[in-house]
Amino acid sequence: MKVRTKYVLLFTLPALILYSLFVVYPLLDSLALSFYSWKGVGPKIFVGLKNFREMLFGNFSKEVFNAFFHNVYFFSLATVLELGLGFLIAFLLASKLKGAKLFRTVVYMPNMIPLVIVGFMWSLFLNPQIGLVNSFLKLVGLKALARPWLGDPSTALTSIILVNVWRHLGFYVLVILAAILNIPPDLIEAAYIDGASNWKIASRIVFPMVLPTFRTLLTLLFIGSFNVFDMVYAMTGVQAGPFRKTDVLGTVFYRTAFGGLGSAYVDMGLGAAVTVFIFAIVMPLSILYVFLVEGRERSW
Amino acid sequence: MVRFTKAGKFLSYVFLTIYALIIVVPFAMMVLNSFKSMRELFMKPFSLPSTFRFDNFAKAWKFANIGTGYRNSLIVASVTVLIVILLASMFAYMISKYDFSFRRGMFLYTMLGLALPARLAVIPIFVLLRNLNLTNSLAGLVLVYASTNLPFSIFILKNFIDAVPNELCEAARMDGAGVGYIYYKLILPLVKPALSIVAIVTFVNVWNDFFFPLILINDRSKATITLAVSIFFGEYSIQWPLLFAGLTLSIAPTVILFLIFSRFFIAGMTQGAIK
């Protein structure tokens, strides 16, 4: 239908203005800021590519790459667990088990709780002296396994990732389950009549059919894994645990831009450079995500 | 529909039950231990409390400023939802139902926002709000949340409005209905399910966020629930029963609402990410 410009402006401008002012402009400004040195107040000094040099090759690079590899580890482990377990549990739930509905509610519940609260809760459970995890291990005779989970450099990051999986798994289960339930039942029926085992049905029919959903979830996991902050902040603080063993790009950014006790650098320009770095990693996948979700509805 | 043999069914139940316990037990432990004394928590972590000490909750409520946190989060989340629903539906309606130049361009421009993690822009947002004198204010948070939740909301609403037959709008037009009338009397009632999805997803996003309050709010009286609890955590690190009580209180409203309306929440949140 045709419409007068007056109406177009009336209906679209409020959203466009708000979005431009608080999403688009800040992102562009972040990019611009990464070429400056700035304490947040006082003069901004143009430093060209110095922030990026410092971040990629200078002293600061050790910290950044240490964190970067933690993000990579985070992504890898979270993906294996969330997609793997997610698929397994969704497959079990796709049968006519009694109580499946109740179960769906239970597995989704942690998703309603703020990440930072989940982090605090588990940091108490994982406490070395009186945390419930160690008390439980002692109770069942596995005292040898008890350790200061978040204080031990070898277990700190993995513990955080596992807690993260605890929080998110239900979401992946439900999305994969929805995809499985979308498969035409005849396909599966026919396979049963031909005598296929559940393993064959899972690997030859169900898995290939839900692959598009996996691609979308994988993209979400990637974007999420490089934006991790709340959970690490809650469980091991902005100094990121023993020897920065749980440091991620999000905590490096926070320390750099907004400070934290004992931070060597407080520079918003350098902080902005860190966000540009994260952005460069995430951007290609983010665009792919938009295409994946948009590709489902071709209305143009 | 997947089928299992008897043994397969039994194994599935065992596996699923263990997983359910891994989810439920920590919640139960948090609540149970918030009734104990520190000594009892230390000596008998897994037992039921010998006496239910409700004063832990009273203290936590007071020291963690839970009431203030609830109030602020409720204000910020509700106002954000109203703004997002209004602006996103107006925008999506215009884009979906009318022809004009830049139509596709405008849509793609807003869809960029789906790809850009807003928290990466937090420094300029902080500076912008500081210049507008809106740091330490709920209004500042509302502006940030409303803008960052627009792209997804527009995306969902446009999909639903696209599904409303154009003939319907044209017929209304023939009968003399104006652009605003069609929006208000025809489109909005027809896309109610989408509006509730957008409302739920936005509300939960805002209620659960910690990052923006951490950076934009210093004043305790303006702290949202997540920020209030995190300040409390820093200060009472020894008083575990109090900490558990504070955590329980902070999540109680959402968990109770979720258990009552779980169907809608689940539909809303999963649509939210995948649609």
Side-chain angles (χ1 to χ4, degrees):
Chain A
M1 285 191 288
K2 288 280 162 209
V3 62
R4 275 193 288 175
T5 311
K6 166 173 102 172
Y7 287 114
V8 173
L9 297 180
L10 185 69
F11 276 77
T12 58
L13 275 188
L16 284 178
I17 291 173
L18 207 59
Y19 170 72
S20 303
L21 198 58
F22 288 99
V23 177
V24 178
Y25 159 76
L27 277 162
L28 294 177
D29 196 40
S30 239
L31 187 61
L33 194 60
S34 64
F35 297 108
Y36 289 84
S37 174
W38 190 39
K39 297 276 173 211
V41 287
K44 287 183 199 173
I45 302 154
F46 182 79
V47 294
L49 291 171
K50 181 165 168 282
N51 288 333
F52 290 97
R53 252 200 331 265
E54 176 66 15
M55 185 173 68
L56 297 174
F57 311 108
N59 284 331
F60 190 48
S61 69
K62 258 191 253 159
E63 202 161 331
V64 170
F65 281 98
N66 172 49
F68 171 77
F69 288 116
H70 291 158
N71 284 102
V72 173
Y73 176 58
F74 199 107
F75 169 65
S76 317
L77 188 58
T79 300
V80 170
L81 292 174
E82 284 175 344
L83 295 187
L85 284 174
F87 182 76
L88 176 67
I89 295 166
F91 188 78
L92 297 183
L93 285 178
S95 66
K96 276 186 179 146
L97 286 179
K98 271 189 201 128
K101 279 235 166 83
L102 174 71
F103 192 80
R104 279 181 219 177
T105 307
V106 170
V107 297
Y108 196 73
M109 195 165 70
N111 278 273
M112 301 309 295
I113 299 162
L115 280 165
V116 66
I117 305 290
V118 171
F120 284 137
M121 182 173 107
W122 277 98
S123 72
L124 293 182
F125 290 157
L126 291 168
N127 179 285
Q129 276 92 38
I130 60 174
L132 293 172
V133 173
N134 282 353
S135 309
F136 178 76
L137 290 172
K138 277 172 205 158
L139 197 72
V140 295
L142 291 169
K143 197 176 173 191
L145 289 177
R147 65 189 68 222
W149 299 95
L150 296 171
D152 183 336
S154 63
T155 54
L157 184 57
T158 307
S159 303
I160 292 179
I161 298 172
L162 290 178
V163 172
N164 210 66
V165 171
W166 181 87
R167 159 66 156 60
H168 286 112
L169 187 54
F171 169 78
Y172 292 88
V173 168
L174 290 186
V175 173
I176 298 169
L177 177 64
I180 294 179
L181 294 179
N182 259 334
I183 298 172
D186 308 357
L187 271 178
I188 296 174
E189 283 306 313
Y192 274 121
I193 291 167
D194 291 344
S197 64
N198 270 334
W199 168 250
K200 274 247 162 78
I201 286 174
S203 60
R204 298 283 171 80
I205 299 174
V206 177
F207 183 73
M209 296 283 289
V210 299
L211 209 57
T213 304
F214 268 65
R215 274 198 283 271
T216 315
L217 291 178
L218 196 65
T219 317
L220 271 184
L221 267 161
F222 188 85
I223 300 171
S225 299
F226 281 87
N227 281 298
V228 174
F229 175 76
D230 298 26
M231 198 78 100
V232 178
Y233 178 93
M235 295 183 75
T236 50
V238 288
Q239 295 306 321
F243 316 111
R244 301 253 148 104
K245 279 291 181 192
T246 65
D247 215 7
V248 286
L249 290 171
T251 41
V252 172
F253 161 72
Y254 183 81
R255 281 198 308 273
T256 312
F258 297 98
L261 294 169
S263 294
Y265 315 81
V266 175
D267 185 334
M268 289 205 166
L270 191 58
V274 176
T275 63
V276 172
F277 181 63
I278 301 174
F279 189 62
I281 300 166
V282 172
M283 186 66 182
L285 266 285
S286 301
I287 290 174
L288 182 69
Y289 169 69
V290 174
F291 274 108
L292 285 173
V293 285
E294 223 230 345
R296 299 185 174 194
E297 328 263 327
R298 288 247 168 268
S299 54
W300 293 90
Chain B
M1 204 55 94
V2 178
R3 290 180 224 154
F4 291 105
T5 57
K6 268 217 162 124
K9 241 183 201 167
F10 178 73
L11 280 178
S12 308
Y13 274 122
V14 170
F15 180 79
L16 292 176
T17 307
I18 291 174
Y19 178 44
L21 286 176
I22 292 176
I23 289 174
V24 172
V25 168
F27 284 113
M29 283 298 143
M30 175 174 72
V31 176
L32 282 183
N33 283 324
S34 60
F35 286 106
K36 295 177 184 171
S37 67
M38 187 62 188
R39 188 183 152 75
E40 195 185 355
L41 187 148
F42 184 63
M43 304 297 284
K44 295 180 201 156
F46 298 105
S47 65
L48 286 171
S50 55
T51 48
F52 283 85
R53 294 162 190 272
F54 285 94
D55 59 324
N56 286 339
F57 285 92
K59 275 186 202 149
W61 177 278
K62 191 166 153 231
F63 296 139
N65 294 312
I66 301 279
T68 316
Y70 279 168
R71 197 199 62 210
N72 291 338
S73 282
L74 194 64
I75 293 172
V76 172
S78 320
V79 179
T80 302
V81 166
L82 289 178
I83 295 178
V84 165
I85 283 204
L86 181 71
L87 299 194
S89 64
M90 283 166 53
F91 185 87
Y93 160 63
M94 191 49 65
I95 290 282
S96 170
K97 290 293 171 234
Y98 295 97
D99 282 326
F100 51 92
S101 38
F102 304 119
R103 176 190 183 200
R104 191 178 156 75
M106 267 188 198
F107 179 60
L108 291 179
Y109 174 66
T110 52
M111 285 307 94
L112 273 179
L114 279 182
L116 311 168
R119 49 170 62 186
L120 294 185
V122 67
I123 299 176
I125 289 175
F126 169 75
V127 174
L128 184 65
L129 288 179
R130 197 175 60 184
N131 292 340
L132 296 170
N133 255 327
L134 286 174
T135 44
N136 274 323
S137 82
L138 301 183
L141 282 179
V142 167
L143 285 172
V144 173
Y145 289 136
S147 335
T148 51
N149 279 291
L150 274 176
F152 159 72
S153 310
I154 289 172
F155 179 69
I156 290 277
L157 288 169
K158 181 185 167 294
N159 276 331
F160 275 80
I161 297 175
D162 280 345
V164 174
N166 285 332
E167 293 77 18
L168 218 56
C169 301
E170 276 155 20
R173 195 129 199 219
M174 291 296 170
D175 292 343
V179 175
Y181 190 86
I182 296 175
Y183 164 72
Y184 189 67
K185 289 283 185 179
L186 188 70
I187 298 289
L188 284 190
L190 283 176
V191 298
K192 257 191 197 150
L195 294 177
S196 53
I197 289 175
V198 168
I200 287 174
V201 173
T202 307
F203 194 93
V204 173
N205 279 349
V206 174
W207 186 276
N208 285 354
D209 185 54
F210 170 65
F211 189 68
F212 283 112
L214 173 69
I215 286 162
L216 300 176
I217 304 286
N218 278 320
D219 183 346
R220 279 187 164 205
S221 68
K222 300 286 163 50
T224 59
I225 186 71
T226 48
L227 185 61
V229 172
S230 84
I231 297 169
F232 172 64
F233 235 78
E235 290 173 2
Y236 289 85
S237 46
I238 310 299
Q239 283 292 327
W240 281 37
L242 278 193
L243 295 180
F244 278 125
L247 290 176
T248 306
L249 286 171
S250 77
I251 65 169
T254 359
V255 169
I256 291 168
L257 279 180
F258 171 70
L259 292 177
I260 298 173
F261 298 110
S262 64
R263 251 171 7 110
F264 304 103
F265 275 102
I266 288 172
M269 293 307 283
T270 45
Q271 287 257 22
I274 288 311
K275 183 76 190 181

